[in-house]
Amino acid sequence: MTKTIAWGITGAGHFLSSSFSIFGQIKSEHDIRVNSFLSSAAEEVVRMYGLEKELENISCGEYLEEIFLETQQGKSWPKTGRFLLDKYDALVVTPATSNTVSKIAYGTADTLVSNAVAQAVKGSVPVYVVPVDIAGVVVSELPYGIAREKCQKCDPCPPRDNCPNEAITDQIDLLKCSGCGICKELCNFNAIKGGPVELKVRDIDSRNVELVRELEGITILEKPEDIPLILDEI
Ligand SMILES: Cc1cc2nc3c(=O)[nH]c(=O)nc-3n(C[C@H](O)[C@H](O)[C@H](O)COP(=O)(O)O)c2cc1C
């Protein structure tokens, strides 16, 4: 029987690509519908990492496979009412920013994704959360930027002149960038970077994850690769 998963995406770079890979994988291997719910920050970050098309492949737009954007909703989040109507087998929030984890921990429901969690629990839909910041140090992927020590300030500048979004001046405007990577290929001095950065997890974020672990109806998953394991239990 077809399973329907609601996918809550928040604005984290960490675990973003792997969350997309896993959802792509389970869609291709199982009879699953995926209805996506994006926070405003997720909408921006998904574009920065060049994953918009991939999202459309996972949620094609048909009924229960729509992409719901926070920026296109009101403030009462009417779409989350679906969690009370027996439409979903699970809600999976991945990646979950420390911001959204703190909202879930304290029962705040004032964003599309935190409200989806609240309604899912009220509707007895199992919720799975993949926090980006659990403990220790995480290695995150940065979007594109200019390595100033390498930039030769060429004029003409091939990356700037060929950016389809006119996102490049003396820096890259990430709100315009669509993560296509053309600039990285065109720079003769290898001055466009993007890649791994180490971040320390704040103790407040670790504590919030522990609080969420205690909550009724919500399970913490350590990484997106654990998502296929839940398919047998939903
Ligand atoms: C490129 C980029 C990457 C980010 N990565 C993370 C991240 O890995 N973890 C995190 O907690 N916040 C991250 N943020 C910050 C969040 O997007 C920000 O806190 C936002 O308010 C979260 O809102 P949301 O929880 O509603 O999605 C990132 C922001 C940008 C611009």
Side-chain angles (χ1 to χ4, degrees):
M1 209 179 75
T2 308
K3 287 182 179 161
T4 306
I5 297 183
W7 179 17
I9 310 175
T10 65
H14 188 49
F15 283 161
L16 189 66
S17 302
S18 49
S19 299
F20 272 74
S21 303
I22 293 294
F23 265 92
Q25 180 197 321
I26 60 173
K27 270 274 322 220
S28 67
E29 293 176 358
H30 301 268
D31 184 10
I32 280 176
R33 287 186 293 226
V34 179
N35 188 169
S36 301
F37 292 70
L38 274 75
S39 74
S40 309
E43 206 178 322
E44 293 175 4
V45 172
V46 164
R47 190 170 56 242
M48 286 171 206
Y49 286 82
L51 291 165
E52 279 178 315
K53 278 271 158 291
E54 184 65 25
L55 182 62
E56 285 168 18
N57 290 336
I58 294 169
S59 288
C60 66
E62 301 275 317
Y63 180 61
L64 291 176
E65 294 185 279
E66 301 109 317
I67 298 171
F68 293 145
L69 303 176
E70 182 168 78
T71 51
Q72 292 177 0
Q73 308 283 313
K75 279 290 175 194
S76 57
W77 319 116
K79 296 293 186 198
T80 65
R82 280 192 186 172
F83 288 98
L84 305 173
L85 301 173
D86 216 13
K87 305 276 185 198
Y88 302 110
D89 294 288
L91 166 63
V92 180
V93 182
T94 182
T97 57
S98 41
N99 174 58
T100 291
V101 169
S102 76
K103 285 175 187 271
I104 297 170
Y106 288 95
T108 305
D110 63 352
T111 58
L112 180 61
V113 175
S114 60
N115 196 275
V117 171
Q119 300 311 315
V121 174
K122 289 181 187 182
S124 299
V125 176
V127 177
Y128 298 86
V129 175
V130 185
V132 291
D133 291 334
I134 298 188
V137 169
V138 295
V139 179
S140 195
E141 245 347 82
L142 284 180
Y144 292 111
I146 298 176
R148 290 180 184 276
E149 69 287 358
K150 291 190 179 168
C151 175
Q152 305 297 308
K153 301 196 184 331
C154 309
D155 200 7
C157 162
R160 181 195 63 205
D161 300 342
N162 290 286
C163 172
N165 305 304
E166 298 184 359
I168 304 178
T169 52
D170 60 335
Q171 55 189 331
I172 297 181
D173 182 345
L174 288 177
L175 293 180
K176 291 184 180 168
C177 173
S178 60
C180 67
I182 289 173
C183 54
K184 192 172 165 68
E185 282 168 29
L186 291 180
C187 178
N188 297 323
F189 298 95
N190 207 16
I192 309 281
K193 59 180 174 26
V197 62
E198 270 196 3
L199 306 169
K200 186 166 81 74
V201 174
R202 299 183 303 173
D203 58 351
I204 180 79
D205 296 329
S206 295
R207 283 206 296 274
N208 286 336
V209 172
E210 295 315 308
L211 285 177
V212 174
R213 258 186 232 283
E214 303 299 315
L215 297 179
E216 180 194 10
I218 304 181
T219 305
I220 293 283
L221 301 178
E222 305 291 317
K223 52 189 185 308
E225 287 73 12
D226 293 344
I227 294 166
L229 306 176
I230 69 171
L231 296 178
D232 288 336
E233 56 188 65
I234 61 173

